[in-house]
Every structure is written in structure tokens, then in C-alpha cells.
Amino acid sequence: MPPPPGVFDEAEAQSIDRMLMCPICPGESIDQSQVELAKQMRQRVREMLAQGTTRQQVLDFFVERYGPTVLAAPPKSGLNLLAWVLPVALVAAALAGGFLALRAMRRGNPEPVLDPYLAAVDARLSSSNLAEGQGRPDNNG
Amino acid sequence: MAELGTIALWLAVGLGVYGAIGALGGQVRGSPLLSESARRAAYVLPLVLTVAILSLVGAFVGRDFQVAYVARHSSLDMPRIYTWVAFYAGNEGSLLFICLVLSALAALALALAPGETRRTLGWTAAILLTVQTFFLAVTAVMANPFETLPLAPPDGEGINPLLTHVGMFFHPPALMSGLVAAAIPLAFVMGSLIGGKTKDEWLDAARQWGLVSWALLAVGLLLGSWWAYTILGWGGFWFWDPVENAALMPWLALTAFIHSVMVQKRRGMFRMWNIVLINVAFGLALYGMFMNRGGPVPSVHSFGASTLGWVFLVFLVVGVAVPFAVFFCRFPALTSSRSLDSMLSREAAFLVNNLMLLGIAFVTLWGTLYPLLSRLFGGQEITVARPFYDQVNGPLLLGLLFVMGVGPLLPWRKATPQALRRALLLPGLAALGTVALLAGLGMHQGYALAGFGLCALVSAGIAQEWWRDVAERQRALGEGYLRAFWRRTRSNRPRYGGYVVHLAVVMVALGVLGGSLFDRQRDVLLVPGQTAEIGEYQIRYLGTVEQPFGDRTEYVSTVVVQRDGQPLTTLYPWRAFYPSQSMAATRAAIRSTPVEDLYVVPSENRADGAVVFRLVVNPMVWWMWTAGPVLVLGTLVCLWPQRRVVAVRAASPLTAQTGRQSTSG
Amino acid sequence: MSRRWWILLAAGAPVLGLVALLAWASVQSGGRPASFGINRQLGEVAVEARPAEEFILPLLDGSSISLAELRGNVVVLDFWASWCPPCQEEAPALAKVYREYAGREVQFVGVDIWDRPEDAQKFTEKYGVTYPSGVDDRGRIAINYGVKGIPEKFFIDRGGVLRRKFVGPMDETTLRRVLDDLLAGGRKFR
């Protein structure tokens, strides 16, 4: 579909395309879908941008008509903020938990370099990589 | 033909039931004869199922439209080569295919089971055969591909045109195989646990079969992206569709598993964690199958309306609850033998890697479930699609890339400051140098700079380690470099295979970064003779030829490409219309180079010969598809059987001090 | 509680929740994967009563029609396409009811979307459609009304207020009932 005359940022238009789901195709944004409605919506996005409509106004226009389902991602406000915050918080908590668990494991073993033999091996290993070179498969991995 | 298939299918159900009960009985009552008989049932199953499959293939090839499945998924004018695709275009055929794959892999796994698992192999066999019986029974009772119509229609309905693509030849089978193959490592772990073997007995078998399942999923995912790239006609390759996600999540969990299981192998740690991981991976695989077969989330992949969803939901519950119950009962016996020496060690890095992988899997799961949650609690369904995943998983994927770069450089147990410097200095400099260079060249997107910097970190790290190992050997033994490289690589296949796979991941990362951050796209309407520009390319549209085929009309456009005025190539993108299904399919013409892809696809053919083209320039996507073979190669290196080495531990420092030093080898 | 039980709880609760959620969603969708908005609910769909969006539709006969000039009439805005089976199914009923209400303050407008003009022309001839029909070439009207599928019908009262929306084919009886109701001032509605 040829873009209508008028000045607008095609990159911005495409980024809006990716934020809008095609209302009649399962799981595809209007950027992806090749059905007629998606093409018409893409064209409408460009027309609106050419008239000076802002990104948010364009999105609101479509939400008003097709409902919030038309947005490709939950809005970052209200209850839907949870959609964004919860996974990030949980991943952060998991990493923190992992860190604590590791530290606890280390506490259980208070003396990391506990004996002269291993210390000597460590020293040798850090000075050269020789011990790895002799085709001993369980040496490293 | 159909009768033969039905007979074979029911025979397989019988064999599955017999095998499962026999394996259980043989194990419980300690009857080797019964166990052996059950195992043989498992060996015969793939043969019987091959007969069933062949009879369905025969029906397709022979255009036997009396068979309902054949009538629904093929037609007279379908080229016979697409039988292979039509075969699993619907629930029935794809389930039969799953049965065959699972039975073949299970038979192989049982036959090749390592010695440590032999004493509990009856449990393992019983689990595998139970899973097989489930699939067989569902196929036979609820989705029988051999069901016949009272009257054979003159012609079938034809194959879904979107499926007539080379990518489709291997993408669905690879994914389906990968998903069911996750049952095998689980069966080994569970078999050992039920049988009271709570140490590392299952380790080798689970690692190997985990790798197999992992690689199948990886290949399936890559092929699926490739298919989407060439056929869906929007210029992208991944859009976090619920079913794509459903295949990605078990892959992530398996990735965590095959890494963390190495820690158990080397250091005897993380045993409990690994059991949890394989349970999670299997659970996610079941979730994926459920989503695919009537899950409640819209997707371009769903097999359509079916009551199968319920059956798979029940299977999901059982498949998660039973292994977890076993884990719970054996919990007290599952202790790891060693604890951590230092936070700066490969063990710690592996744990971080695990958490990030599971984090990505969780975000993805959350994203697929949020629409349902919002419908349940908010009354209004909220869509979660690509922008969400890009924003939340993007940073996590970068973090993962970082861990992938640093982790393999850290020594086991504990990194001394010198060792750390020695390991990280060059790769770190390579990463910083890359970032500086790219920034100097005018790249200013933070994501891109970080991504490319991390790619450099990973690659430089691998090159450095490999080179040091080879140089060491060369120096120590005076071998030529090539010979040293060969010998050194052979001596520790899991390690170097892993490096190769990591390189493949870097290649995929390059493709993703280039294709999603630097893509340029235009939709243009061209009349014959007109030229459009994208980037430094001039696209001149010459005209469209209409080619009628039996089932479709193809509109093949001719497009001449010039770069900076120099003729480059001629492309023939096409669009086909299938009147019987009132459906259009496109095939993009892609000029692919390691630098960038030029992607041209007709998205609308006007009656007057004018065509709306979508023109896309996708930098570096080529690397992503090339990564596939590299990834397979790396996995094969990892899996290639290695001379088994019995490790003997130095009994205590005392013996070492008295000079009796034990070595492994 | 021992560590073991805590683990059971921590793992079991989310899994149970997940399964319950999936089961609920499966019940909702009737084991059928829903697709975004399309045909999930057939029949009447609740709409907010608000002034209907103005439109100018170029008609198949070359003239054009606008909502403004229809003020004072109950307007049935029907979105359809020639290739759509439910539209074909209901076309005779629409044509018939329209003729029945001729002379009363009722106007039907057929908006053909996602279609070719020549097919639209053939369709109106085949089913004897006498009310004004036109092709919404660039989907302006369809997007303004938030059309998600065809057929969709919007009922606009004499004051130009959007009153009711129906998705999917309508039968004669329902159509008459809705029209009578709106002609009577929409008392049964709100």
C-alpha cells in the first residue's frame, strides 16, 4: 500500500505497526499480517501520522475501536504494570536467591584452600595450563 | 491399506501395555525373563509402528481418499513429495509420527543404556512404555488416522499451502521429536530414583538423551524460523507466538540441564537441582504439546478444534505430579557430595546461567499466560506479544550471552586472581575493542553495542581457550598444530563440542541482533518498469507472469536488483492463490549474503499488473541459518562416544604427600 | 515444617495454579483455540451508546451516501463481503426485510469491505439487494466502527446514536424486532 503524501517518520509508523495486533488474525501484528484489514490499518496509521497525530493518540484511536486486545503488549500502567514488573522481580529474586544459596554452600566449606596438596595444584594450574594438555578428558570441560 | 494400519496401531497399543506391565513386573518380582520380554516389546514397537506409518504413507501415495485423514490433507493435484508434510498436517498423523519417534528413541535408549542404569532399567522401561502407551492409546482411540469415510470422495481437500515448503519437511518432525525425546532423560532419572539409586547412576544416560532432545528442539526452532522467514512474508523470523514459545521453553530448561549436569559430572554438585531441572523440562515439553493440541491460546500453529486438549492437560498433570512425588519421596537421600569452593568458579557461573535460562523460560510462560490471567481477574483480555518479550527477555538474553562468555573461562572450584586475569584479559579486551570500534563507526544503540561486544567476548574466549590447549599440546608433545588440534579436540569431546555449539549460538545472536535492530523495511506499489529504492539497492520491477497449476495460480514477479547502479541479480518472488481454500501463499525471494539479506515479497497483486512489494534489508540474518549445521556438528562432537575413563580420586592429601599420586586415565 | 515440605508447597502451589488456569481457559474456549475477537461471540454484542461516527460511502451506482443525510432514520449499517458465506446466507433476509420497511423511517446501508467492486456488484444483483451499497475501499468506515469480522451490523437510532451491534448472520425475526424497537424509540433497550 503506498503511503499517502505528507510528512511522517516511516520508522515510527513501523514501530506502531508492531504495537498493534491484527484484530482478525491469531497472534499476528498488523506489521506481519498480509490480510486486507491489516493493510488498511497500516495505511490508517500513516495517514494519522501525516496529520500530526502522536503515537499515543494513534494507539488510543485503535484501542477505542477494537478494545485493549489490539495492543501487542500490556500498557505499563495500572494493574497491567504487574505484567511487566512481576517477571522482572521474580527473575531478580531468583538470581539473588541463587547468590545466597551459593554463599551458604560456601559457608558450609569455610576453608576453600584447605590442604597443601590442593594448594600446590592450584599454584601449578595458575602458573601454567600444563595439566590440561595430556589428553585427560575428565580434567576440564 | 487402512486396515493394515489399524491392525498395526492396535497391535502397538497391546505391545505398549504389555511392555509397561511386563517391565514393571519384571523389576518388582526380580524376574529377568519377564524384564527381557518387556524390553523386546519395546524393541518391536518401532517396527510395528513403521508398518502403520507405511500404510498411511501408502494411502497418501495411492490417493486413497476413503481414508478420512488422507482426504482431509491431500488432493489429486498435490505433488506426491508433499505426502511427507501432509502426513503430520493434522492431529492424527502427527500423533502417529510422535509414537514412532518415541518408540524408536526409547528402544535405542534401552538398548544403549549404560551399565550404571542396568539395575533400574526395568523402571526406566516401564516409564517409557507408559508414555508410549499414552500416545498410542490417544492415537488409536481419539485421533485414529486410519478412520475411513463411508464413501470415498472423488478428490481430497488438499494440503494447507503454507506447509508446502522445504522448511516444513523437517521443522515439525524435529520439534515433535525433541518434545517427546525429553521423556527419555526423565525416564532414566526417575527409573534410578524409584529403584533407590540416588547417586549419579543416571547421569551419563540423562546427559546424552537430554542433549539429543535439546539438539532436536534447537534444529526444529531454527527451521521453523527459517520457514516463517521465507513464507509468512513479513520479513521477520520469530514473533513469540504462543506455540513457538511452547517449544522454546523446554529447550531453555534443557539447556540449563545439559550445563548443570556437567557440574554434577565433574564436581558431584547440583544433583537435586538437576533432577528438578529435568522435571521442569519435561513438564514444559508436556505444556508445549498441550498448547499445540487444543491449548486455549490463539496461535498460528494450533491444530484447530479438538477435545484432545483435555487429554493432554491430564497428561501434563500426571507427567508433572508423578516425577515430583518420586523426587519428594527420595528427597532425604539426595545430597550433593561437595560444596562450593568459591563464588568465582565455573560451578557458580553455571548456576547463574541456569537461573537466567529459567528466568527467560518463566518470562515466556508468564507472557503466554497473562492474557488468560487478565481475562480471569480483569475480565478483559490483554494481549502479550512481541514488544513485551523483546523488552523483557532482551536484557536477559544479553545477560545470558555474558555468562556464556565468562563461564567457560572460569576454572572449576576457584579462580585465583592470576587465573582470572589470564582467562579474561584477552576476551575482555576483544569485547571492549569491538564496542569501541562500532561506536567509533557511528553505532549508538546500546543494545547493539552490548550485543556485539558480548558476541566478541564469547568468540574470543573460545578461540583463546582452544588455542591455548592446542599450543600446550603442541609444545608438550611436539606434534604439528593440526595434529595437536585434532588430538586435543578428540580428547575432550564434550568440552570442544560445547565450544562449537557456543559459536553457533553467537551466530544466531548475530542474526537476531542484525535482523531485529538494523532491519529496514518498505512497502511500495510498483507498476511494471518502475523502480524503488531501499538502502543502496535499486529494485526494478519488470512484470508478473501468471502460471496456472492444478491447485493454484502462481503470480511470479521478476525483479531486477542493482546496487549503486551496478546490476546485482534478478529475483523471482511469487505469490500463489489457492482457489479451493481461498487462501494465498507467498514466497519471498531473498538475496542472502553474510553481510545482509535483501528480501522481496509481493504482498498484493493488482489486476492491472501493479504489485505491492514489501522490501526488507535484514543485516546478518544469514548467520542464523548457517548456525544450524554448526550447532548439529557441535552436538555430534559432544555426543560421539568417548573411550570411557574411570576417574580415581586422590584418596586424601596424605597419600599425595607420601608421594602416591593417583592419576586418572 | 521441614525443608522438604516447603519445597513441596513452593513447587506444588504454582503448578496447581497453572493447571487450574489452563483448565479454566479450556472450559472457556470449549477446547477450541480462540482467535482474537473473531466469532468468539455471535449474536448481539454490547456497545456504548454514543454518536455514531460520520461516514461518506461511495455507492456502487456511482452516487454516494452519508450518515448525516440519513438523520431521522433508523440506520442499519451492514458490513459484508461477497465471498463471506454467512453474508450470503443472510442476504435474502436482509433484502426482504428492507422491502417490508420501505416507506418507514428505516434505511439500510451495505458496506462492502475487503472485497472487489465487481464481485460486490454481482452479489447485490444475485440476492436482489435494493438498499444502497458501496465499497469501503480503504477500510475507513470499517476501522472507524472497529469491525472485526463479517457480517457485522450496527444499528443507529434516529438521533444518530449508535445503539446496538450484531455479529454474524441475523434472521428476519430478530431484525424486525430490533427495527420495531428502535422505531418505537428504543424503549426496550435501556
Side-chain angles (χ1 to χ4, degrees):
Chain A
M1 203 60 61
V7 192
F8 66 92
D9 182 4
E10 174 63 22
E12 171 77 354
Q14 284 175 15
S15 118
I16 295 177
D17 289 349
R18 285 172 196 159
M19 259 315 284
L20 290 170
M21 301 305 284
C22 164
I24 58 171
C25 356
E28 285 187 289
S29 69
I30 62 168
D31 177 57
Q32 287 167 266
S33 179
Q34 300 300 332
V35 304
E36 199 65 27
L37 176 60
K39 288 176 191 168
Q40 292 171 347
M41 284 171 72
R42 287 204 290 267
Q43 191 184 359
R44 192 61 172 273
V45 168
R46 281 152 185 76
E47 281 170 22
M48 292 178 78
L49 286 179
Q51 286 159 11
T53 318
T54 66
R55 178 193 173 89
Q56 194 55 47
Q57 284 167 336
V58 174
L59 295 179
D60 290 344
F61 173 85
F62 284 102
V63 169
E64 200 180 303
R65 279 155 184 82
Y66 288 100
T69 326
V70 80
L71 290 180
K76 286 177 192 163
S77 61
L79 209 59
N80 285 317
L81 201 58
L82 195 69
W84 297 89
V85 172
L86 187 105
V88 175
L90 253 160
V91 170
L95 283 175
F99 181 79
L100 291 178
L102 280 179
R103 222 175 50 174
M105 283 170 83
R106 206 166 80 92
R107 288 255 171 78
N109 186 14
E111 235 175 295
V113 189
L114 70 167
D115 59 73
Y117 172 68
L118 284 180
V121 172
D122 280 346
R124 284 289 290 280
L125 277 177
S126 57
S127 66
S128 90
N129 219 11
L130 193 71
E132 283 190 19
Q134 306 306 321
R136 282 159 45 185
D138 67 337
N139 205 322
N140 215 324
Chain B
M1 277 314 243
E3 293 79 15
L4 181 63
T6 313
I7 295 170
L9 185 55
W10 279 106
L11 186 61
V13 176
L15 276 169
V17 172
Y18 168 75
I21 296 174
L24 204 66
Q27 183 77 28
V28 173
R29 297 181 35 200
S31 154
L33 271 178
L34 191 53
S35 300
E36 183 59 26
S37 167
R39 208 169 311 144
R40 288 191 183 169
Y43 297 157
V44 176
L45 260 172
L47 302 178
V48 175
L49 282 168
T50 307
V51 172
I53 293 246
L54 283 179
S55 91
L56 187 56
V57 170
F60 267 114
V61 173
R63 319 276 201 215
D64 183 358
F65 297 126
Q66 178 107 45
V67 179
Y69 187 73
V70 174
R72 208 143 9 106
H73 296 287
S74 73
S75 56
L76 285 174
D77 41 28
M78 179 186 88
R80 283 196 166 80
I81 181 95
Y82 287 122
T83 297
W84 174 243
V85 182
F87 190 85
Y88 41 69
N91 259 320
E92 294 86 350
S94 61
L95 278 171
L96 187 62
F97 176 80
I98 283 184
C99 291
L100 175 71
V101 171
L102 182 58
S103 70
L105 292 178
L108 214 60
L110 291 175
L112 298 176
E116 302 95 310
T117 60
R118 287 271 166 206
R119 304 192 61 173
T120 53
L121 203 58
W123 294 111
T124 305
I127 294 168
L128 283 174
L129 284 160
T130 309
V131 176
Q132 286 185 56
T133 307
F134 165 79
F135 281 112
L136 286 166
V138 168
T139 314
V141 178
M142 301 185 67
N144 194 328
F146 300 107
E147 233 156 64
T148 50
L149 298 168
L151 204 72
D155 195 358
E157 290 169 27
I159 187 173
N160 181 340
L162 287 180
L163 301 181
T164 56
H165 180 260
V166 200
M168 273 293 130
F169 280 59
F170 301 104
H171 152 67
L175 273 185
M176 290 191 282
S177 309
L179 286 176
V180 285
I184 298 177
L186 181 92
F188 275 108
V189 174
M190 285 302 127
S192 298
L193 288 187
I194 297 173
K197 303 286 177 199
T198 53
K199 295 283 178 294
D200 299 336
E201 291 84 359
W202 47 264
L203 204 148
D204 281 322
R207 186 187 81 90
Q208 277 162 6
W209 287 101
L211 257 173
V212 170
S213 167
W214 175 88
L216 284 169
L217 282 174
V219 170
L221 288 166
L222 275 175
L223 284 171
S225 311
W226 182 55
W227 167 78
Y229 187 55
T230 52
I231 208 163
L232 292 186
W234 98 94
F237 39 81
W238 182 265
F239 60 106
W240 302 96
D241 174 88
V243 171
E244 286 177 346
N245 289 344
L248 179 72
M249 287 186 283
W251 181 82
L252 290 167
L254 279 170
T255 313
F257 176 74
I258 56 180
H259 283 93
S260 136
V261 87
M262 290 310 289
V263 182
Q264 184 177 347
K265 197 172 161 69
R266 298 288 173 211
R267 303 271 301 131
M269 298 163 64
F270 294 174
R271 188 176 294 138
M272 221 183 271
W273 176 241
N274 287 334
I275 297 170
V276 170
L277 275 181
I278 196 67
N279 277 354
V280 169
F282 184 65
L284 288 172
L286 293 181
Y287 173 81
M289 287 186 223
F290 164 69
M291 278 303 188
N292 201 314
R293 316 253 163 208
V297 177
S299 151
V300 293
H301 287 81
S302 17
F303 274 103
S306 75
T307 45
L308 278 180
W310 285 106
V311 183
F312 276 87
L313 187 59
V314 172
F315 190 44
L316 167 66
V317 173
V318 174
V320 172
V322 171
F324 193 79
V326 172
F327 171 70
F328 185 72
C329 293
R330 290 285 181 238
F331 188 82
L334 297 167
T335 43
S336 293
S337 55
R338 281 188 234 174
S339 55
L340 191 74
D341 285 340
S342 159
M343 301 290 278
L344 273 176
S345 61
R346 200 178 299 178
E347 294 92 310
F350 273 19
L351 188 69
V352 174
N353 130 311
N354 275 211
L355 290 173
M356 304 209 70
L357 283 163
L358 288 187
I360 296 167
F362 173 77
V363 170
T364 312
L365 182 67
W366 173 253
T368 34
L369 293 179
Y370 191 77
L372 303 181
L373 282 170
S374 62
R375 185 140 57 90
L376 179 60
F377 293 111
Q380 175 71 58
E381 187 158 320
I382 301 289
T383 314
V384 177
R386 201 179 145 191
F388 173 82
Y389 297 104
D390 282 355
Q391 285 175 57
V392 181
N393 274 343
L396 284 173
L397 286 167
L398 282 185
L400 195 63
L401 213 50
F402 174 75
V403 181
M404 191 176 106
V406 173
L409 301 178
L410 294 176
W412 292 103
R413 283 177 40 225
K414 179 179 184 299
T416 58
Q418 308 95 294
L420 211 56
R421 193 175 326 121
R422 191 180 132 81
L424 292 181
L425 186 65
L426 287 177
L429 284 177
L432 292 177
T434 306
V435 172
L437 181 72
L438 291 176
L441 288 174
M443 192 185 286
H444 50 264
Q445 281 167 281
Y447 257 114
L449 288 175
F452 289 123
L454 290 171
C455 284
L457 177 79
V458 179
S459 321
I462 292 171
Q464 165 188 287
E465 292 298 288
W466 215 327
W467 165 250
R468 279 184 184 164
D469 292 349
V470 170
E472 200 98 59
R473 187 178 174 104
Q474 190 272 336
R475 237 179 299 132
L477 300 179
E479 289 170 341
Y481 278 103
L482 263 179
R483 193 182 172 81
F485 172 80
W486 178 245
R487 290 269 168 95
R488 187 72 180 97
T489 306
R490 267 185 34 173
S491 71
N492 192 351
R493 295 204 180 91
R495 172 176 177 158
Y496 298 104
Y499 283 170
V500 176
V501 173
H502 280 192
L503 284 177
V505 175
V506 169
M507 291 164 75
V508 173
L510 287 177
V512 172
L513 285 167
S516 53
L517 294 177
F518 297 96
D519 58 323
R520 278 158 292 164
Q521 174 185 316
R522 276 189 77 186
D523 292 317
V524 288
L525 173 70
L526 296 180
V527 297
Q530 215 175 351
T531 302
E533 282 200 24
I534 181 158
E536 58 254 32
Y537 298 97
Q538 292 87 42
I539 316 284
R540 190 174 152 82
Y541 167 52
L542 292 188
T544 296
V545 181
E546 203 176 312
Q547 291 175 349
F549 287 83
D551 57 340
R552 64 184 187 275
T553 311
E554 283 185 6
Y555 301 89
V556 184
S557 304
T558 306
V559 163
V560 176
V561 181
Q562 293 190 321
R563 182 161 54 196
D564 300 329
Q566 300 300 311
L568 204 58
T569 183
T570 307
L571 298 176
Y572 303 96
W574 54 261
R575 188 178 165 76
F577 186 70
Y578 293 74
S580 62
Q581 304 173 327
S582 88
M583 197 168 167
T586 54
R587 189 65 49 87
I590 304 168
R591 179 186 182 269
S592 195
T593 69
V595 178
E596 63 189 14
D597 279 14
L598 173 68
Y599 178 108
V600 180
V601 65
S603 48
E604 186 184 339
N605 286 77
R606 302 244 169 126
D608 58 357
V611 173
V612 178
F613 285 102
R614 170 162 288 195
L615 312 174
V616 186
V617 174
N618 266 331
M620 295 198 293
V621 168
W622 180 89
W623 291 91
M624 208 159 130
W625 316 135
T626 318
V630 178
L631 189 140
V632 172
L633 175 77
T635 314
L636 287 179
V637 171
C638 286
L639 279 175
W640 211 258
Q642 179 137 23
R643 192 165 45 89
R644 288 178 69 80
V645 178
V646 183
V648 181
R649 263 181 210 132
S652 82
L654 269 178
T655 49
Q657 277 165 348
T658 54
R660 286 195 296 122
Q661 194 171 330
S662 38
T663 50
S664 39
Chain C
M1 270 202 305
S2 73
R3 189 159 156 237
R4 205 172 148 201
W5 288 97
W6 277 114
I7 292 180
L8 179 69
L9 197 68
V15 170
L16 269 181
L18 171 72
V19 170
L21 180 71
L22 291 175
W24 171 81
S26 294
V27 172
Q28 284 258 307
S29 65
R32 175 169 311 162
S35 51
F36 284 99
I38 192 164
N39 291 344
R40 181 175 287 159
Q41 26 184 192
L42 287 181
E44 176 146 22
V45 177
V47 283
E48 237 178 282
R50 59 186 147 89
E53 199 134 355
E54 176 58 38
F55 63 81
I56 300 171
L57 177 70
L59 297 177
L60 290 171
D61 62 15
S63 64
S64 73
I65 195 169
S66 74
L67 183 59
E69 71 195 58
L70 295 175
R71 183 64 55 91
N73 288 299
V74 170
V75 178
V76 181
L77 197 57
D78 176 40
F79 291 91
W80 60 279
S82 62
W83 47 265
C84 128
C87 308
Q88 294 159 7
E89 181 192 316
E90 67 168 358
L94 281 180
K96 185 173 167 217
V97 174
Y98 177 67
R99 280 193 296 270
E100 280 172 25
Y101 281 78
R104 300 176 66 177
E105 291 165 319
V106 169
Q107 185 59 55
F108 284 25
V109 178
V111 186
D112 178 47
I113 51 174
W114 314 331
D115 205 355
R116 295 191 302 187
E118 56 269 32
D119 293 340
Q121 187 71 51
K122 269 185 230 148
F123 183 93
T124 52
E125 282 159 17
K126 181 174 173 192
Y127 292 100
V129 175
T130 48
Y131 51 82
S133 291
V135 181
D136 181 21
D137 186 19
R138 305 170 75 186
R140 290 201 68 87
I141 308 176
I143 290 176
N144 280 344
Y145 279 81
V147 172
K148 286 184 193 175
I150 32 181
E152 268 186 28
K153 263 174 282 308
F154 295 84
F155 291 84
I156 300 162
D157 71 11
R158 280 182 282 200
V161 176
L162 185 60
R163 285 296 178 189
R164 307 177 76 165
K165 174 181 174 185
F166 283 80
V167 176
M170 273 180 99
D171 57 64
E172 294 172 29
T173 335
T174 324
L175 195 53
R176 282 192 206 104
R177 204 170 45 228
V178 176
L179 286 175
D180 292 342
D181 179 42
L182 283 173
L183 282 172
R187 254 169 290 132
K188 281 182 210 150
F189 187 75
R190 300 235 166 100

